Amino acid sequence: MAAVGDLQFEEFGNAAATAAENPGATTISIEGPGESPTHQAGLPRGSGGEEDDELLGNDDSDKTELLAGQKKSSPFWTFEYYQTFFDVDTYQVFDRIKGSLLPIPGKNFVRLYIRSNPDLYGPFWICATLVFAIAISGNLSNFLIHLGEKTYHYVPEFRKVSIAATIIYAYAWLVPLALWGFLMWRNSKVMNIVSYSFLEIVCVYGYSLFIYIPTAVLWIIPQKAVRWILVMIALGVSGSVLAMTFWPAVREDNRRIALATIVTIVLLHTLLSVGCLAYFFDAPEMDHLPTATAAPNQTVAAAKAR
Amino acid sequence: MAKAAESSGEPGTTSPRPLFAGLSDISISQDIPVEGEITIPMRSHIREFDSSTLNESVQNTIMRDLKAVGKKFMHVLYPRKSNTLLRDWDLWGPLILCVTLALMLQRSSVDSEKDGGPQFAEVFVIVWFGAVTITLNSKLLGGNISFFQSLCVLGYCILPLTVAMLVCRLVLLAEQGPINFMVRLFVVIVMFTWSIVASTAFLADSQPPNRKALAIYPVFLFYFVISWMILTFTPQ
C-alpha cells in the first residue's frame, strides 16, 4: 500500500511544453496550412477546416488522414501496395454504382462514396464490361438490321473489340490524367478548397461510365429516335455526376475557366458516346430503303383496313 | 497398469529417496504391449526418387500425366467440392483445351482480313490473358489461392465450352437456318452454365466471404466472351 506521501503529484516542470506538444501530436490538419501530405497517394486536404465544413467536415478529415496514412504505406513495388486499391466489399461497389446512376444535386459522389478509399476494381471491370457490351451489341444490331438482305454475309467483326478496348480504356485513363494535371495547375494558382487525387478522378470516371452498359445493350433497337433518346438520358445522368463532382473543385476559380472546364468535361463525354454509337452501330434506315418505304405503306393500309 | 502406476507413484510422494529407486518394484503385467516391430521397413526409404521416374519407359510417363489430366476432366464434368484440381494443379489440360478451341475458332484465310472472326493468336491471347487477369483480380481482392492453381481451374473449366464448340461445328455441317441457330444457342447456353458452375464450385471457397461476388463476376464475363465467340462462329 502506497503511503500518502506517494500520492503527491510530480512536478510537471515542463507543463507548458507538454501541453504545447500534445495538440501537435494528436490533431492533424486544423492548424497549419503548410501541412504536407506524407503519403504517396497524395490526398491533399487543403488548409483549415473551418472554411468549408460542409464539404470536408473536421471529423472526416481527421479520420481520413489517419486512415489514409496507415493504409498506403507499402512501397510501390510490393504486392500489398496494389492490394490497397482493391480494398472494397461487394456492397460498397454496389453503393458506388447506385450513386453514379442517381445523381442527387448537392451530394458529391466523391465525398459520399469514395472519400474513404478509391478503388480500381470498379473502373477496370466496368470498362471491360463496357468494351464487350459495345462490341457485342454493335455486332448483334448490325446483324438484325441487315437480316434478310441477299448480299449480306454475317461476320463476327472481332477486330472491333480491340478498337473498342483502346477507345474506352484511353478515355477512362487519359482524360482523368489530363483533368488531374489541369486541376493541380489551377490549384497552384488559386487556393482551392477541394482537390482530388488522381485515383479519385479515375474512380469517378470509371463509375460514371456504368450507365453506358445498359445503354449499349438498348442500342440494339434499330430505331434512330430511340437511340438518340438513350444517348440523351445516359449523357444527362453521367454528365451530371461528373459536373457535380468537379464543380466544387473549380468554382473558386475564374468564372470563365470554371465554366470552360465543366463544359469540356461534358463535351468529351458526349464525344465518347456519340462516337461509339456512330462507329459500332450501323445506321438503321440507310440500307433498308425499299423495304422501309414498303413497310409504312403496308402498316398504313392495315390500319385503314381496320 | 494401475498397479504399475501406483507402485511408481508411491516412491514419488515420500520425500527424498534416490532417483529411480522404486523401479525395481514395478511389475509389468501381461497386457501392456512392450514388444512389436521396431525394424523400419527399408524398402520405401531406399528408393531413390530421381532414378525411378528417369528409368521408366516413356509410355509410363505419358500415361501417368494423361491419367492426371483425365481425372481432372472428370472432376470438371461432375463438379463436386474436391481439392484435387487445386492440390495437384497442372497446366497441360488448359493448354490442350486452349489450343483445341483456338484451332477450331480461327477464321480461314479465305475470309477478309478486316472483319472476320478471331485468329488463332487472338483466341489464345484472350484465354490466357483473361485467366491471368482474373487470377490477379482474385489475389488483389484478398483471395488465398495460388496463381497457378487459379489458372489451372479456369483453364480446365473451359472443357464444357470446348465440347460445345465441337457440337456446334458438327451442327453447322447440316443446313443453316433458324433451327440450326436455336440448337447451337441452346448447347452454348447449357455449356456456359456448366462452366460457371464448375469454376465457382472450385474457386468460391478461396475468396473472402464479403467479396465473393466481386471475384466471381470476372469469371462470368470471361466465359461469356468465349461463349459469344463460339456462338458467332461461321464457317466459310
Side-chain angles (χ1 to χ4, degrees):
Chain A
M1 294 258 297
V4 176
D6 291 345
L7 291 177
Q8 281 177 4
F9 280 113
E10 291 287 333
E11 258 192 44
F12 285 103
N14 306 326
T18 50
E21 271 177 343
N22 281 334
T26 53
T27 62
I28 304 251
S29 62
I30 301 216
E31 8 187 72
E35 189 76 25
S36 59
T38 52
H39 41 79
Q40 199 168 8
L43 295 164
R45 301 284 177 272
S47 48
E50 298 111 22
E51 295 162 64
D52 213 348
D53 268 0
E54 55 138 1
L55 273 176
L56 280 184
N58 287 337
D59 297 335
D60 284 348
S61 70
D62 269 328
K63 270 193 291 195
T64 47
E65 281 283 323
L66 280 172
L67 285 176
Q70 280 170 9
K71 267 192 320 184
K72 297 183 178 123
S73 54
S74 314
F76 68 92
W77 55 83
T78 57
F79 192 69
E80 284 73 28
Y81 175 73
Y82 298 102
Q83 263 185 326
T84 58
F85 302 143
F86 282 78
D87 195 14
V88 277
D89 293 337
T90 310
Y91 76 91
Q92 281 177 319
V93 173
F94 281 149
D95 278 343
R96 292 174 187 193
I97 292 179
K98 260 193 310 207
S100 78
L101 289 177
L102 305 165
I104 306 175
K107 293 263 177 82
N108 189 337
F109 180 75
V110 175
R111 172 176 166 253
L112 210 51
Y113 296 108
I114 298 185
R115 241 322 114 99
S116 44
N117 58 336
D119 70 307
L120 283 181
Y121 177 89
F124 183 78
W125 287 108
I126 290 178
C127 288
T129 313
L130 187 61
V131 164
F132 289 112
I134 286 187
I136 291 178
S137 304
N139 195 241
L140 206 54
S141 146
N142 292 348
F143 172 71
L144 289 176
I145 287 177
H146 296 290
L147 195 57
E149 285 174 16
K150 293 274 188 291
T151 55
Y152 178 70
H153 178 74
Y154 171 74
V155 283
E157 291 177 326
F158 194 73
R159 221 174 52 109
K160 293 207 167 165
V161 172
S162 26
I163 297 176
T166 314
I167 296 176
I168 304 275
Y169 274 102
Y171 180 80
W173 286 88
L174 293 183
V175 172
L177 186 66
L179 188 60
W180 175 73
F182 176 75
L183 286 178
M184 284 295 117
W185 174 59
R186 295 310 300 175
N187 218 358
S188 64
K189 298 205 160 176
V190 175
M191 198 59 209
N192 274 334
I193 309 307
V194 176
S195 56
Y196 299 121
S197 73
F198 173 61
L199 277 176
E200 286 168 347
I201 301 183
V202 167
C203 224
V204 174
Y205 264 87
Y207 281 102
S208 74
L209 285 176
F210 179 81
I211 183 77
Y212 286 112
I213 297 177
T215 310
V217 173
L218 287 175
W219 273 341
I220 295 179
I221 302 174
Q223 297 291 331
K224 246 192 176 159
V226 170
R227 287 182 178 177
W228 281 101
I229 293 177
L230 286 169
V231 168
M232 292 293 132
I233 297 176
L235 206 52
V237 171
S238 56
S240 59
V241 168
L242 288 178
M244 282 194 294
T245 306
F246 289 108
W247 180 245
V250 291
R251 71 177 169 202
E252 305 294 319
D253 209 345
N254 186 356
R255 196 78 187 171
R256 278 193 184 168
I257 295 189
L259 278 178
T261 313
I262 301 292
V263 165
T264 314
I265 292 176
V266 176
L267 208 61
L268 282 173
H269 221 60
T270 316
L271 207 61
L272 177 77
S273 54
V274 171
C276 283
L277 178 62
Y279 184 72
F280 291 101
F281 295 82
D282 284 348
E285 278 113 34
M286 291 183 42
D287 293 319
H288 262 206
L289 284 172
T291 49
T293 48
N297 287 341
Q298 289 170 1
T299 51
V300 165
K304 277 189 184 163
R306 288 188 201 139
Chain B
M1 201 160 122
K3 217 168 40 169
E6 267 178 51
S7 53
S8 63
E10 276 166 12
T13 49
T14 58
S15 325
R17 283 186 61 176
L19 212 53
F20 301 125
L23 267 183
S24 53
D25 299 333
I26 298 176
S27 65
I28 298 176
S29 69
Q30 282 301 321
D31 40 46
I32 305 175
V34 289
E35 57 182 37
E37 280 268 329
I38 52 172
T39 55
I40 304 169
M42 293 302 287
R43 273 179 225 126
S44 62
H45 286 258
I46 283 183
R47 176 172 63 135
E48 292 163 20
F49 290 104
D50 287 340
S51 62
S52 67
T53 56
L54 266 183
N55 286 338
E56 67 181 11
S57 66
V58 174
Q59 182 187 6
N60 275 357
T61 315
I62 294 183
M63 287 313 293
R64 192 176 59 234
D65 280 336
L66 274 181
K67 276 195 199 139
V69 169
K71 204 158 66 159
K72 292 200 189 72
F73 279 169
M74 284 299 124
H75 276 278
V76 170
L77 288 178
Y78 303 108
R80 289 178 309 265
K81 278 195 202 304
S82 82
N83 278 334
T84 312
L85 264 187
L86 291 178
R87 221 181 26 227
D88 312 318
W89 60 267
D90 74 274
L91 292 178
W92 283 115
L95 182 66
I96 296 174
L97 289 172
C98 181
V99 167
T100 315
L101 195 62
L103 276 175
M104 289 196 285
L105 268 178
Q106 62 173 347
R107 64 169 174 255
S108 63
S109 53
V110 181
D111 207 332
S112 78
E113 287 304 315
K114 288 191 67 122
D115 282 341
Q119 296 277 26
F120 178 91
E122 286 171 341
V123 178
F124 208 81
V125 159
I126 282 191
V127 169
W128 284 102
F129 271 92
V132 166
T133 310
I134 296 175
T135 308
L136 279 180
N137 176 65
S138 94
K139 284 187 78 79
L140 283 169
L141 282 174
N144 60 353
I145 193 172
S146 101
F147 184 74
F148 286 109
Q149 281 172 344
S150 174
L151 278 187
C152 170
V153 169
L154 288 168
Y156 270 104
C157 290
I158 296 182
L159 175 66
L161 287 170
T162 311
V163 171
M165 183 71 220
L166 280 166
V167 171
C168 281
R169 275 219 110 149
L170 290 174
V171 169
L172 278 170
L173 291 176
E175 63 159 282
Q176 307 242 359
I179 307 177
N180 197 308
F181 178 72
M182 297 308 285
V183 169
R184 281 187 292 141
L185 182 67
F186 176 71
V187 167
V188 168
I189 288 182
V190 166
M191 293 302 175
F192 166 66
T193 326
W194 201 334
S195 283
I196 299 266
V197 166
S199 60
T200 311
F202 293 117
L203 285 179
D205 284 338
S206 65
Q207 304 300 325
N210 49 348
R211 294 179 187 182
K212 275 205 170 66
L214 294 185
I216 296 295
Y217 170 71
V219 178
F220 169 83
L221 188 64
F222 176 63
Y223 289 127
F224 182 78
V225 169
I226 296 183
S227 313
W228 175 256
M229 287 199 294
I230 292 176
L231 190 60
T232 61
F233 173 76
T234 48
Q236 279 306 92

